[in-house]
Amino acid sequence: MDLSFLEQLLGAPVEEEEGYRNIWVVAIAWEPHLRACDLQVVGKARNLADSLGAYVNVLLIGDNADEDLARELIVYGADAAYWGAGYPTGHSLLDFFSQHKPEILLFADAAGGRKMAPRLAQRLKCALVTHAVDLSINAEERSLVVATPIYHGAAYRVVECRTNPQMATVQQGVFPVPDRDDWRSGDVEMVELEWKPQPPLTPVEPPEYYIPLEKADIIIAGGRGLRGAGWQLVEDLAAAVARRLPHKAIAVAGSRGAVDEGWIGAEHMVDLTGRTVAPALYVACGIRGTFQHFGATEKARCIVAINHNPDAPIFKHADYGIVGEVEEIIPALIEVLDS
Amino acid sequence: MRIVVCIKQILDPETIKFSRSQQAIDDRLATRIMNPPDRWALDAALRFKEADPSIEVIAMSLGEPGVEDVLREALALGCDRAILLSDAAVVKARAAGLAQIVATAIRRLRNVQLVMTGHMALDTGSGTLGARLAIELGDWPVLMNVDQLRLEGGHITGLQYADEKYYHSSYPLPAVATVLETPQHPRYPHGADIINAYRVRNVEVWSSLALGIDPTTLPAPTTGRQLRVPPARQLGLIVEGTPQEAAQTLVAMLRSRRVI
C-alpha cells in the first residue's frame, strides 16, 4: 500500500539529529568552594533530566576547580562531572560542546556565565534565554520551556527553545540548593581544554553611592511630596521607629525626586538606577511611585504608602496606604510610636 | 577613531498596560523611548568625544522606520552620525542574526575601536547583545556591566560589577563595553538641537542587502514565544480616618503582622 500521502500529511519525516542529548551545566569555582547559584542550577537540571530520561553532566572550571569539588557536584545531583582548573578559551569551549553535544546547556546567571553564555551562544549561532525563573520540559517536542521576566517582572515571556543545544541562564535564588546525597556516585574526569590567562581580579571598594541599603530591616523613604512639609519629617519618623525598635537596622532613603531636590545623597536613592532593596518594611512618604521605584522595592515584605493624592500609583503597590497630607500623618505616626 | 553606540527603542514601561484577559501587552497608548541604559552608554561615549574631539560617535539602531526618533535624539545630543539598519530581514531576525547584521554594519564603518551599549534592554531584559557582538566582530574583548569608563593609552577601563563586588577591569581596544546605569543623570538634548536634528540632520538608513547580507544565511528565529502576565498584586488596604486614627490603626496593623 502506498502510504506516501501520510508522509505528506505529516510533513517530511523529521531527521533525528544524532547525539544531542543530556543536560550540561557549566559551574565555576572562583573560590575553593562551589557557588550556591551553580548548585541551584544542578538541582534544577536533575529534575529536568529525570523527566527527560537524560543525564546531568557538569563542566567545572575556574582557578580553584579540582577533583574534590567535582565529586561534590555528584553528591548534589550530577551524574558525571568534568573539571579543569582555569578559564577556557571560547574556541576550546566550543569544541568541547560540539563534541559532547548537549541537548540542554545551562549556566547560572552570575559572573562568568553571564558573559560566557552569550559568547558561546553566538559561536553556536544559537538562541539563549537569559534570567530564567522557570524551566520545564515540553515532553512532546522534547524542548525546554523557559519563563523569563520582561519589564522587570511586570510580565513573563515564555519561550520554547528549539535549537541544539537549548541554552539558558538561570536566575539566582529562584530554585533551592538541592539536598546532599552522599551515596550518589558518578564519573569524575579531568578535561584538557585550552586555558587562557585571566587577569587577577581584586575587588575594589564600591563607589560611594553604593552603600548597602539592602542591609536595612526597615526603610523610611521620602519623595517630592515632602516639598511643603520638609525632609526633616522623614528623619524624625525614622528616629521614632528606631526608638521603638532599637534592635532593628533602620535606614532613610529617597526617591529620585528627593535626590534631585538635593534633600538626600544619591547613595540613598531607591530606584532601579540606584539601589534595589528588600526590607521587611518600606514606608514611602510623599512618593508618587514610578516604574523604576516599584522595580526597586518590589521585594519589600510590607509597603506602607503615605500620599495626599488618592490616585498616586504607589497605592496600587502598597500593602497599607494612608491618604492625607504627610505633615499631618507623620507627626501622628510619631506620636503613636512614642506612646 | 570611531565609537559606535547601539541604541534600542523600547516601549516606555510607564505607559504600557498588561492585559490579563488577553495575556498580552497593550501598547496602544504607549510612548516609545530610548532604552534608559543605552542613554548612559551614549552619555559615556559623548564624554569621550568631549575629551578628544577627534573621536567620532556614531549612533546605531535597528528596526522599523519609526525607530528613527531615538536616533534623532542621539543626533540632538551630539552624535556625529546616526545609522538605522532597517529592512524585512532585520525586523525578522533574532539575537544571533541581529548581532551578525550589526557587526557587519560596524565592520563596514572601518576604524571602529569601541562599541558601547546599555547593560540590558529594559523590555526583554536579556543583555546579551554586547557579548554576541564581540564574537561577531572577531572575538573582541567585552567589558560587561561597567561604570566609570575611561579611555587611556589604547585601553578601555571601567569599574565592573559582578557577584555583588566591584572590580577594575581593563582591556585593549578594540573592545565592546556594556554600560550600567548610575544615579548621575545622563544628558538630555536641548530643544533647539532636537529641532535641528529633524530639520537639518540626516539619519542614514542601511539595509541588510546593501551590507551584502544574504537573509537566508541568517540563523532562523528559533524560539516560540508567548506572554504570561502574573495575577495582579492584591490591592492594599487604605487606612481611613483622621490622621491620628489612621496612624493608630496602621501601627496596630503593622504590629499584628509582626512587621514592627
Side-chain angles (χ1 to χ4, degrees):
Chain A
M1 198 165 73
D2 183 14
L3 289 175
S4 62
F5 73 95
L6 256 181
E7 211 163 86
Q8 272 181 354
L9 233 140
L10 296 168
V14 184
E15 277 182 37
E16 281 287 332
E17 279 198 73
E18 275 299 309
Y20 283 100
R21 57 190 42 162
N22 296 336
I23 300 182
W24 279 78
V25 177
V26 177
I28 301 172
W30 303 117
E31 278 154 32
H33 53 81
L34 296 171
R35 302 187 298 182
C37 55
D38 288 329
L39 294 179
Q40 290 162 2
V41 180
V42 171
K44 187 64 197 173
R46 177 78 263 152
N47 292 350
L48 296 175
D50 290 344
S51 63
L52 264 177
Y55 293 115
V56 175
N57 298 335
V58 184
L59 174 65
L60 178 69
I61 52 173
D63 295 337
N64 280 302
D66 58 22
E67 196 164 340
D68 291 341
L69 287 185
R71 286 208 184 286
E72 280 283 282
L73 285 165
I74 305 277
V75 169
Y76 279 105
D79 294 302
Y82 297 76
W83 66 275
Y87 202 80
T89 60
H91 284 293
S92 69
L93 205 61
L94 177 69
D95 290 343
F96 182 82
F97 284 118
S98 307
Q99 189 191 331
H100 287 276
K101 296 197 171 166
E103 184 172 8
I104 294 173
L105 179 52
L106 302 175
F107 296 78
D109 185 29
R114 206 172 278 160
K115 185 162 166 178
M116 205 186 304
R119 288 176 72 102
L120 183 63
Q122 189 65 26
R123 284 184 209 274
L124 290 162
K125 299 280 180 286
C126 173
L128 165 73
V129 193
T130 53
H131 313 287
V133 293
D134 188 23
L135 298 162
S136 57
I137 299 285
N138 175 349
E140 266 171 42
E141 303 268 341
R142 214 182 153 83
S143 59
L144 181 68
V145 180
V146 188
T148 165
I150 60 172
Y151 292 105
H152 281 291
Y156 294 86
R157 204 177 45 158
V158 182
V159 182
E160 203 170 317
C161 305
R162 302 228 175 84
T163 52
N164 276 320
Q166 307 167 19
M167 292 179 70
T169 69
V170 180
Q171 195 147 328
Q172 299 182 45
V174 178
F175 301 109
V177 172
D179 293 330
R180 288 179 66 96
D181 179 356
D182 287 303
W183 300 99
R184 283 187 63 85
S185 64
D187 296 335
V188 172
E189 196 181 307
M190 196 175 99
V191 288
E192 265 315 314
L193 297 172
E194 201 181 297
W195 308 110
K196 69 176 169 197
Q198 274 290 102
L201 281 177
T202 39
V204 294
E205 280 295 302
E208 202 196 321
Y209 46 83
Y210 293 103
I211 286 175
L213 263 180
E214 298 88 335
K215 297 258 157 67
D217 300 319
I218 296 176
I219 294 178
I220 314 289
R224 270 218 178 87
L226 286 158
R227 181 171 289 161
W231 182 256
Q232 191 55 37
L233 274 178
V234 175
E235 306 270 354
D236 292 347
L237 181 58
V241 177
R243 280 197 294 277
R244 176 110 202 161
L245 303 160
H247 53 282
K248 290 268 167 88
I250 290 147
V252 174
S255 68
R256 179 172 274 282
V259 173
D260 285 351
E261 296 281 348
W263 296 333
I264 190 164
E267 69 272 23
H268 299 287
M269 183 165 83
V270 174
D271 191 276
L272 282 178
T273 62
R275 296 314 284 158
T276 58
V277 295
L281 174 64
Y282 182 84
V283 183
C285 312
I287 295 177
R288 188 183 71 90
T290 59
F291 175 79
Q292 278 89 350
H293 192 84
F294 298 140
T297 56
E298 66 187 356
K299 292 206 180 84
R301 276 232 313 280
C302 178
I303 298 177
V304 173
I306 304 168
N307 202 301
H308 67 276
N309 176 7
D311 296 327
I314 188 93
F315 286 121
K316 289 208 182 105
H317 290 254
D319 298 278
Y320 300 105
I322 300 182
V323 180
E325 299 296 333
V326 277
E327 57 262 54
E328 290 171 11
I329 309 284
I330 293 180
L333 267 175
I334 293 172
E335 205 174 292
V336 176
L337 284 168
D338 280 342
S339 65
Chain B
M1 153 175 157
R2 285 171 161 171
I3 299 177
V4 170
V5 186
C6 300
I7 298 171
K8 184 174 186 184
Q9 187 189 51
I10 64 164
L11 298 172
D12 184 351
E14 301 245 9
T15 60
I16 53 174
K17 303 252 182 300
F18 294 95
S19 159
R20 288 197 176 76
S21 56
Q22 313 269 317
Q23 293 286 301
I25 290 177
D26 178 1
D27 61 358
R28 283 172 298 184
L29 293 173
T31 50
R32 283 158 203 276
I33 56 166
M34 185 188 296
N35 177 38
D38 295 344
R39 188 182 289 281
W40 265 268
L42 186 59
D43 198 62
L46 291 171
R47 272 181 221 283
F48 292 149
K49 182 182 161 65
E50 277 163 11
D52 177 2
S54 70
I55 291 176
E56 199 182 341
V57 177
I58 301 168
M60 190 179 280
S61 188
L62 74 189
E64 284 157 1
V67 175
E68 205 183 285
D69 286 338
V70 288
L71 289 173
R72 300 263 179 209
E73 192 180 345
L75 286 173
L77 281 163
C79 284
D80 298 285
R81 286 169 74 183
I83 297 169
L84 175 66
L85 309 174
S86 178
D87 62 26
V90 173
V91 173
K92 258 198 260 166
R94 295 274 180 247
L98 285 182
Q100 279 185 13
I101 296 171
V102 175
T104 312
I106 290 171
R107 273 199 300 273
R108 178 66 60 93
L109 280 168
R110 294 176 197 286
N111 196 24
V112 174
Q113 293 290 309
L114 181 60
V115 177
M116 298 167 79
T117 186
H119 67 105
M120 67 182 223
L122 268 189
D123 54 354
T124 58
S126 75
T128 58
L129 178 70
R132 284 180 180 275
L133 268 181
I135 293 295
E136 283 301 320
L137 288 166
D139 220 343
W140 287 11
V142 54
L143 266 162
M144 282 184 87
N145 303 352
V146 284
D147 176 13
Q148 301 184 358
L149 280 169
R150 286 195 315 265
L151 268 181
E152 293 167 328
H155 280 67
I156 174 104
T157 48
L159 197 60
Q160 187 167 15
Y161 179 69
D163 281 357
E164 310 198 340
K165 291 199 188 86
Y166 287 84
Y167 305 92
H168 275 301
S169 10
S170 176
Y171 286 109
L173 297 177
V176 178
T178 71
V179 180
L180 282 179
E181 297 164 275
T182 59
Q184 275 83 44
H185 279 270
R187 62 196 79 195
Y188 280 80
H190 291 292
D193 291 334
I194 298 177
I195 294 169
N196 272 345
Y198 279 90
R199 277 211 188 131
V200 191
R201 307 291 296 276
N202 184 22
V203 171
E204 299 160 48
V205 181
W206 293 11
S207 72
S208 55
L209 200 67
L211 289 171
I213 297 168
D214 178 3
T216 53
T217 61
L218 290 176
T222 42
T223 47
R225 45 193 71 208
Q226 70 190 75
L227 200 74
R228 194 198 295 159
V229 182
R233 192 186 163 121
Q234 243 181 346
L235 266 190
L237 185 74
I238 299 290
V239 184
E240 310 270 349
T242 65
Q244 284 72 24
E245 288 166 12
Q248 262 169 4
T249 326
L250 176 68
V251 171
M253 282 170 167
L254 291 179
R255 206 173 295 154
S256 72
R257 262 184 74 165
R258 296 181 183 281
V259 180
I260 61 171

